[in-house]
């Protein structure tokens, strides 16, 4: 029995001072006759899309930035193209696809649209639109990518695609309409979409009572005589799709569970098989009205959560029932004897009652824990390993509050979990949003191990990790050494994964050369480290070193992509220890102007790093100085970091070939040809005023290749930048090389510009002025 601490403080993203409000009876009545709308959608890259909540306006916004620590600006960007498409109808469904670059929006009329993010959150394109002619109660994206998972033995395995997939393209999804029509839409042949559909069993026109029928048996109650699904839950369990439905207007009331199988036959045809599993009748007098249907995730056997609401004398209450889907044997007797057959049954598992109001929103995390938002604005979460004790105002012994009702008087409209389920984002009916933590204040070793595995999987699957980073930053205030242990273990695991080594091995076997690494995989590691160290006040030097080391391979890739010479020949020139001044490298003419700014930044970086190096090893100190070079955190480690040093050497060689080609070769600019004389004058002066020649700098860094760190095991390629100290190096050897090249690489001119190295945008290929606000991309 563990006592629960007081509820964690919540943080609001934005507030709306005043707005129109509906009474609770309106929201309760709406929940009994239709599925609760999805107004929040969070992608795997932590891009939040916020839809409207009645009776607010139809405005739709994307919210980007660090949502979880709020130490940087949060940008709220309106998405006018989605608003105009669905206006004047309200949106009921918002769901991101698996990659997090396409979102589906469906309004109350049944108009569906797929929106793709192109270059930024300001740039959206419409991929596909469809008018389904009837409202939708359930939507499900077909998985497109295989994901990496951690096995029990600690290894990482790439699982097969869960459920059915589109074999002809990237995008595919399934919809369930209020009249029981199941449709599968899939992409093929580029932007062309096809579809096939079927109807759920046991659906059709409802029976017409005599009081509602005319003399010819026609309905007098309206033309909509089809059975109408009011609530539905569609979920994927162990590669199998399950659908639960409820008809609020059908008597007797019941909940049906179906198993759905999809098969693609040809590029324009397919089949859907809907197998009825079980039908459970519901007595309204005992349980009330159904308001929510939900499948719990990560639970075996499958568990269905049914939420009931009840209203008595303007007072609301809710019942939560959990049923398990089990298999039982049924004995059939006949004239030929007895037979047994397996059948599915829903067995009652557990339940609870809430007297604080009706449940307005409910979610399940990947471990099956339930999170419930109430009509009074409070939010409760279930915990398997805890039991609520003391005077905590809770709805049940196994639920504790994370947001209390005294903080607001509004109803919770929707909730969404962060990618790694460390935080909960919620929105009220007024549009006000908030974020609360789901992590305990006392971090245990089990939680640390879980974060280590989750960070590794985030790197492997390219999933956002800022929610875990915010928890590590909070943890660093009490135990900073533990953060270093976690990061070192994560990077060791990640390099083993990229090297395809055994994850259970104690030590890293080998460091592959930089040219054998994929640039995207390399930058993922740098992005994780920069996102963490930039938020730690005692790691600013390490953060700068990581940023410089991440930029060098990117700039080198820009040069390589601008070369028209055979790539193998260019790589051969770069692998040489010295600069081959007789070789000729041909560049694409229209890329020359973009390489000018890249060259200037690289040469400024060379002066900066040489200044840092010589100030550390060439400056004289007082006789009795206690300054210990080995223990200091310095920028000079960038010249000892193998990847950064090799990238800088290759960049200097490419700059030499670039300037010579721009001034001596015969070429013609196709874009703004009149600027070619200016380009040649600029490149001719690029290397004239440099205090250190390219040949001397390459020779100096080649000499540093002989400096080996005294170490007992192989370390990951980021470990030197993480410590940014010279501990473990032979200082006498470094001093000897520095004195040998002092006259060449320690000229007084490198000390003239003492300002910090300006940030550089490698995408726009231009420096970023100091007056321009910018955010560092970490993914």
């Amino acid at each position: 029995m563990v006592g629960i601490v007081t509820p964690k403080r919540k943080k609001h993203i934005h507030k709306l001072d005043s707005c129109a409000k509906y009474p609770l009876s309106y929201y309760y009545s709406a929940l009994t006759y239709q599925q609760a709308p999805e107004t929040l959608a969070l992608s795997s890259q932590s891009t939040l899309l916020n839809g409207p909540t009645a009776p607010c306006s139809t405005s739709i916004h994307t919210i980007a930035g660090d949502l979880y620590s709020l130490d940087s600006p949060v940008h709220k960007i309106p998405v006018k193209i989605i608003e105009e498409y669905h206006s004047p109808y309200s949106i009921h469904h918002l769901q991101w696809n698996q990659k997090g670059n396409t979102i589906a929006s469906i309004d109350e009329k049944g108009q569906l649209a797929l929106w793709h993010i192109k270059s930024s959150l300001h740039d959206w394109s419409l991929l596909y639109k469809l008018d389904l002619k009837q409202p939708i109660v359930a939507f499900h994206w077909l998985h497109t990518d295989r994901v990496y998972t951690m096995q029990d033995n600690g290894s990482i395995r790439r699982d097969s695609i869960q459920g059915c997939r589109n074999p002809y393209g990237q995008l595919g999804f399934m919809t369930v309409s209020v009249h029981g029509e199941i449709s599968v839409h899939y992409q093929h042949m580029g932007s062309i979409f096809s579809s096939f559909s079927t109807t759920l069993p046991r659906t059709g026109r409802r029976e017409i009572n005599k009081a509602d029928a005319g003399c010819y048996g026609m309905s007098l109650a309206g033309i909509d005589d089809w059975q109408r699904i009011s609530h539905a839950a569609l979920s994927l369990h162990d590669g199998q799709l399950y659908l639960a439905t409820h008809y609020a207007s059908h008597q007797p009331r019941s909940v049906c569970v179906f198993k759905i199988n999809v098969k693609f036959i040809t590029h324009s045809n397919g089949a859907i098989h809907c197998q009825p599993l079980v039908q459970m009748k519901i007595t309204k007098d005992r349980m009330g009205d159904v308001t929510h249907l939900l499948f719990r995730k990560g639970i075996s056997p499958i568990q269905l959560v049914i939420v009931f609401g009840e209203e008595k004398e303007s007072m609301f209450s809710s019942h939560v029932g959990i049923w398990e889907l089990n298999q039982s044997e049924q004995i059939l007797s006949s004239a030929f004897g007895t037979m047994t057959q397996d059948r599915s049954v829903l067995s009652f598992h557990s339940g609870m009652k809430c007297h604080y109001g009706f449940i307005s929103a409910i979610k399940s995390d990947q471990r099956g824990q339930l999170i419930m938002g109430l009509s009074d604005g409070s939010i409760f979460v279930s915990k398997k390993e805890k039991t609520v004790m003391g005077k905590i105002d809770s709805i049940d012994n196994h639920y504790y509050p994370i947001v209390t009702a005294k903080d607001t008087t509004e109803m919770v409209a929707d909730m969404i979990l962060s990618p790694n389920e460390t935080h909960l984002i919620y929105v009220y009916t007024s549009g006000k949003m908030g974020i609360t933590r789901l992590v305990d204040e006392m971090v245990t070793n089990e939680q640390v191990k879980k974060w280590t595995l989750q960070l590794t999987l985030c790197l492997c699957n390219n999933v956002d990790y800022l929610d875990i980073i915010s928890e590590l930053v909070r943890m660093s205030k009490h135990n900073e050494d533990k953060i270093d242990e976690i990061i070192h273990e994560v990077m060791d695991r990640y390099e083993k994964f990229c090297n395809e080594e055994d994850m259970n091995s104690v030590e890293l076997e080998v460091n592959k050369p930089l040219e054998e690494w994929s640039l995207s995989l390399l930058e993922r590691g740098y992005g994780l480290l920069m996102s963490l160290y930039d938020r730690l006040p005692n790691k600013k030097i390490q953060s700068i070193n990581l940023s410089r080391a991440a930029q060098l391979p990117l700039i080198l890739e820009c040069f390589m992509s601008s070369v028209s010479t055979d790539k193998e020949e260019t790589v051969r020139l770069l692998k040489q220890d010295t600069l081959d001044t007789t070789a000729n490298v041909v560049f694409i003419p229209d890329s020359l102007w973009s390489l000018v700014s890249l060259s200037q930044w690289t040469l400024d970086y060379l002066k900066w790093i040489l200044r840092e190096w010589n100030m550390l090893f060439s400056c004289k100190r007082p006789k009795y100085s206690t300054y210990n070079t080995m223990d200091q955190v310095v920028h000079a480690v960038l010249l000892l970091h193998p990847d950064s040093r090799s990238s800088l050497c290759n960049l200097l060689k490419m700059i030499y070939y670039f300037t010579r080609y721009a001034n001596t070769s015969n070429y013609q600019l196709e874009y703004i040809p009149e600027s070619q004389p200016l380009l040649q004058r600029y490149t001719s002066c690029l290397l004239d005023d440099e205090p250190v020649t390219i040949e001397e700098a390459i020779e100096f860094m080649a000499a540093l290749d002989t400096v080996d760190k005294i170490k007992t095991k192989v370390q990951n390629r980021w470990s030197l930048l993480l410590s940014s100290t010279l501990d473990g190096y032979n200082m006498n050897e470094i001093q000897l090389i520095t004195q040998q090249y002092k006259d060449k690489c320690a000229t007084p001119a490198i000390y003239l510009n003492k300002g910090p190295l300006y940030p550089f945008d490698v995408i726009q290929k231009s420096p970023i002025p100091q007056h321009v606000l910018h955010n560092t991309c970490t993914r």
Side-chain angles (χ1 to χ4, degrees):
M1 305 288 283
V2 181
I4 301 300
V5 298
T6 56
K8 304 174 182 62
R9 183 176 60 88
K10 65 177 181 178
K11 296 176 283 187
H12 293 294
I13 294 179
H14 66 279
K15 286 187 176 182
L16 299 177
D17 296 331
S18 61
C19 66
K21 294 183 179 180
Y22 287 162
L24 289 180
S25 58
Y26 165 82
Y27 294 108
Y28 173 77
S29 177
L31 288 177
T32 59
Y33 286 99
Q34 67 178 4
Q35 188 81 8
E38 299 174 350
T39 59
L40 292 177
L42 187 67
S43 71
S44 58
Q45 305 302 323
S46 286
T47 301
L48 180 65
L49 196 68
N50 177 28
T53 57
C56 296
S57 62
T58 58
S59 61
I60 301 175
H61 298 85
T62 57
I63 301 177
D66 191 352
L67 301 174
Y68 312 108
S69 60
L70 298 184
D71 59 352
S72 60
V74 176
H75 305 285
K76 186 177 180 181
I77 305 171
V79 189
K80 295 295 184 181
I81 186 173
I82 302 181
E83 296 179 14
E84 295 172 357
Y85 177 80
H86 290 288
S87 179
Y89 304 102
S90 61
I91 296 177
H92 276 201
H93 294 273
L94 288 171
Q95 281 195 27
W96 289 95
N97 67 338
Q98 189 178 6
K99 287 186 176 181
N101 56 7
T102 304
I103 191 168
S105 60
I106 310 174
D107 58 32
E108 58 185 347
K109 185 183 176 183
Q111 295 184 115
L112 181 147
L114 303 184
W115 309 94
H116 180 73
I117 299 178
K118 296 166 64 177
S119 59
S120 68
L121 294 179
H122 299 271
D123 191 6
W124 295 75
S125 63
L126 178 62
L127 290 183
Y128 179 59
K129 63 179 181 179
L130 176 68
D131 189 0
L132 297 169
K133 306 296 184 181
Q134 52 183 323
I136 298 300
V137 292
F139 179 91
H140 174 75
W141 280 103
L142 303 184
H143 285 191
T144 57
D145 298 323
R146 299 168 60 188
V147 298
Y148 294 96
T149 58
M150 191 71 66
Q151 305 303 307
D152 295 336
N153 58 0
S155 62
I156 294 179
R157 187 187 69 181
R158 194 177 189 185
D159 290 342
S160 59
I161 293 181
Q162 295 293 317
C164 59
R165 62 178 291 268
N166 177 14
Y168 307 108
Q170 277 293 320
L171 300 179
F173 58 89
M174 176 185 293
T175 60
V176 181
S177 69
V178 294
H179 297 313
E181 182 180 354
I182 301 180
S183 303
V184 174
H185 304 258
Y186 57 99
Q187 183 184 19
H188 65 92
M189 299 177 62
S191 59
I192 300 177
F193 280 78
S194 295
S195 64
F196 52 91
S197 62
T198 188
T199 304
L200 282 175
R202 303 172 182 172
T203 57
R205 291 186 178 274
R206 62 184 180 184
E207 297 181 359
I208 302 177
N209 297 327
K210 292 182 178 181
D212 297 331
C215 57
Y216 296 103
M218 295 183 298
S219 173
L220 301 179
I223 62 174
D224 188 9
D225 295 324
W226 290 91
Q227 295 183 11
R228 189 180 182 90
I229 299 177
S230 57
H231 302 81
L234 184 61
S235 183
L236 186 66
H237 288 265
D238 296 330
Q240 181 65 56
L241 274 173
Y242 292 91
L243 172 67
T245 61
H246 171 66
Y247 301 86
S249 58
H250 184 265
Q251 296 295 336
R253 299 192 178 188
S254 62
V255 172
C256 303
V257 180
F258 302 88
K259 180 189 292 186
I260 301 177
N261 294 305
V262 179
K263 184 177 181 180
F264 291 87
I265 301 175
T266 64
H267 70 279
S268 60
N269 198 3
I272 305 175
H273 178 241
C274 303
Q275 177 186 355
L277 296 181
V278 64
Q279 181 178 11
M280 182 180 68
K281 294 184 179 180
I282 297 175
T283 305
K284 179 180 178 181
D285 297 338
R286 296 181 55 187
M287 300 182 180
D289 298 306
V290 174
T291 56
H292 299 278
L293 289 180
L294 177 72
F295 284 108
R296 297 182 73 180
K297 301 178 182 178
I299 300 294
S300 183
I302 299 171
Q303 292 186 359
L304 176 64
V305 181
I306 306 177
V307 180
F308 304 91
E310 190 175 6
E311 179 182 7
K312 289 183 179 180
E313 299 178 356
S314 300
M315 299 296 292
F316 300 95
S317 61
S318 289
H319 302 261
V320 179
I322 302 176
W323 280 264
E324 278 188 354
L325 184 63
N326 297 315
Q327 299 292 324
S328 65
E329 289 188 354
Q330 183 180 14
I331 301 177
L332 302 176
S333 300
S334 65
F336 301 97
T338 59
M339 300 174 59
T340 60
Q341 68 174 9
D342 293 335
R343 66 168 185 170
S344 301
V345 294
L346 282 175
S347 305
F348 183 77
H349 179 267
S350 60
M352 53 85 65
K353 186 172 183 178
C354 172
H355 298 280
Y356 291 81
F358 63 89
I359 297 174
S360 55
I362 185 169
K363 298 292 180 181
S364 171
D365 64 8
Q366 295 298 329
R367 297 176 296 171
Q369 297 180 359
L370 297 179
I371 305 172
M372 297 183 295
L374 271 62
S375 57
D376 62 355
S378 59
I379 301 177
F380 293 82
V381 61
S382 64
K383 284 288 186 180
K384 296 179 181 179
E385 65 274 10
K386 290 185 177 181
T387 302
V388 176
M389 298 176 59
K391 298 181 179 180
I392 299 296
D393 193 14
S394 179
I395 57 177
D396 189 74
N397 291 336
H398 297 284
Y399 290 81
Y400 71 96
I402 54 176
V403 177
T404 57
K406 64 180 180 181
D407 297 326
T408 182
T409 58
E410 304 168 8
M411 189 188 80
V412 178
D414 197 12
M415 305 177 295
I416 196 74
L417 290 162
S418 65
N420 295 287
E421 299 185 342
T422 60
H423 293 73
L424 179 73
I425 304 174
Y426 54 93
V427 62
Y428 293 111
T429 51
S430 65
K432 182 173 66 175
M433 297 177 59
I435 299 176
T436 185
R437 297 170 56 220
L438 298 177
V439 180
D440 296 332
E441 294 291 344
M442 297 299 297
V443 180
T444 61
N445 293 331
E446 182 181 356
Q447 185 66 58
V448 170
K449 182 179 179 181
K450 178 183 176 182
W451 285 343
T452 303
L453 298 180
Q454 284 182 322
L455 284 175
T456 306
L457 292 178
C458 285
L459 292 176
C460 299
N461 295 318
N462 195 22
V463 175
D464 185 72
Y465 38 70
L466 285 181
D467 50 351
I468 301 181
I469 293 297
S470 66
E471 293 300 320
L472 294 181
V473 172
R474 185 177 286 104
M475 179 183 175
S476 66
K477 300 177 182 179
H478 309 286
N479 194 351
E480 188 171 349
D481 295 336
K482 195 68 175 178
I483 302 298
D484 295 333
E485 295 178 10
I486 295 174
I487 291 301
H488 277 283
E489 185 176 354
V490 169
M491 303 316 296
D492 282 344
R493 286 176 173 269
Y494 182 58
E495 187 154 1
K496 290 178 185 177
F497 162 76
C498 295
N499 294 343
E500 298 181 356
E501 298 179 13
D502 184 11
M503 300 293 294
N504 294 323
S505 60
V506 179
E507 298 180 0
L508 188 66
E509 296 179 3
V510 66
N511 291 124
K512 286 186 177 181
L514 180 61
E515 55 269 16
E516 297 183 12
W517 270 71
S518 168
L519 189 59
S520 61
L521 294 179
L522 184 69
E523 294 303 317
R524 288 184 196 177
Y526 279 112
L528 170 63
L529 300 175
M530 291 166 57
S531 63
L532 174 61
Y533 278 49
D534 189 54
R535 291 168 170 81
L536 300 178
N538 298 329
K539 302 289 186 180
K540 293 303 180 183
I541 294 180
Q542 290 93 328
S543 177
I544 294 175
N545 291 344
L546 289 166
S547 176
R548 301 289 183 263
Q551 283 179 290
L552 292 174
L554 290 174
I555 297 177
L556 178 59
E557 183 64 24
C558 293
F559 273 92
M560 296 295 293
S561 61
S562 302
V563 172
S564 59
T565 306
D566 183 61
K567 185 177 180 181
E568 294 182 357
E569 176 63 19
T570 306
V571 172
R572 185 190 65 81
L573 292 175
L574 296 181
K575 286 185 176 181
Q576 296 180 4
D577 295 335
T578 58
L579 178 64
D580 188 356
T581 57
T582 61
N584 293 318
V585 178
V586 181
F587 289 81
I588 301 173
D590 284 333
S591 67
L592 296 179
W593 266 117
S594 63
L595 299 181
V596 170
S597 56
L598 295 177
S599 301
Q600 187 61 60
W601 186 91
T602 305
L603 295 175
D604 291 342
Y605 169 81
L606 177 63
K607 289 188 291 185
W608 172 77
I609 193 60
L610 288 178
R611 182 171 68 248
E612 295 289 335
W613 180 274
N614 287 284
M615 288 180 64
L616 184 65
F617 294 106
S618 299
C619 293
K620 293 184 179 180
R621 295 185 177 84
K623 182 178 180 181
Y624 300 103
S625 174
T626 59
Y627 185 86
N628 189 352
T629 306
M630 299 180 63
D631 297 336
Q632 299 300 315
V633 181
V634 294
H635 296 297
V637 297
L638 285 168
L639 282 179
L640 295 176
H641 185 236
D643 292 350
S644 301
R645 187 173 64 250
S646 64
S647 297
L648 180 58
C649 284
N650 294 335
L651 272 173
L652 294 178
K653 295 176 183 178
M654 294 299 294
I655 291 174
Y656 176 83
Y657 297 134
F658 155 66
T659 55
R660 190 173 66 174
Y661 175 81
N663 289 282
T664 61
S665 301
N666 294 324
Y667 60 90
Q668 182 63 41
L669 295 180
E670 296 182 4
Y671 180 72
I672 314 181
E674 60 272 14
S675 65
Q676 184 169 338
L678 179 62
L679 171 66
Q680 292 177 340
R681 288 198 300 269
Y682 195 97
T683 53
S684 62
C685 301
L686 194 61
L687 300 179
D688 292 344
D689 299 331
E690 290 304 313
V692 180
T693 64
I694 287 181
E695 294 87 343
E696 292 171 348
I698 293 176
E699 186 180 351
F700 171 61
M701 285 184 283
L704 292 178
D705 290 339
T706 61
V707 178
D708 293 327
K709 188 174 183 180
I710 305 173
K711 53 190 177 182
T712 58
K713 63 178 182 178
V714 179
Q715 295 181 330
N716 65 70
R717 60 194 334 105
W718 298 276
S719 59
L720 178 59
L721 299 176
L722 295 180
S723 62
S724 292
T725 62
L726 301 175
D727 186 22
Y729 282 94
N730 189 338
M731 302 304 296
N732 295 328
E733 185 179 1
I734 295 178
Q735 289 283 2
L736 183 62
I737 296 176
T738 304
Q739 292 299 321
Q740 181 181 354
Y741 291 89
K742 183 178 180 180
D743 296 337
K744 298 179 180 179
C745 299
T747 58
I750 66 175
Y751 299 100
L752 294 179
N753 184 13
K754 295 184 179 181
L757 189 64
Y758 52 85
F760 193 85
D761 187 349
V762 296
I763 304 300
Q764 299 291 337
K765 299 181 181 179
S766 61
I768 302 176
Q770 295 182 355
H771 66 277
V772 176
L773 297 177
H774 63 278
N775 293 322
T776 302
C777 179
T778 59
R779 294 189 297 276

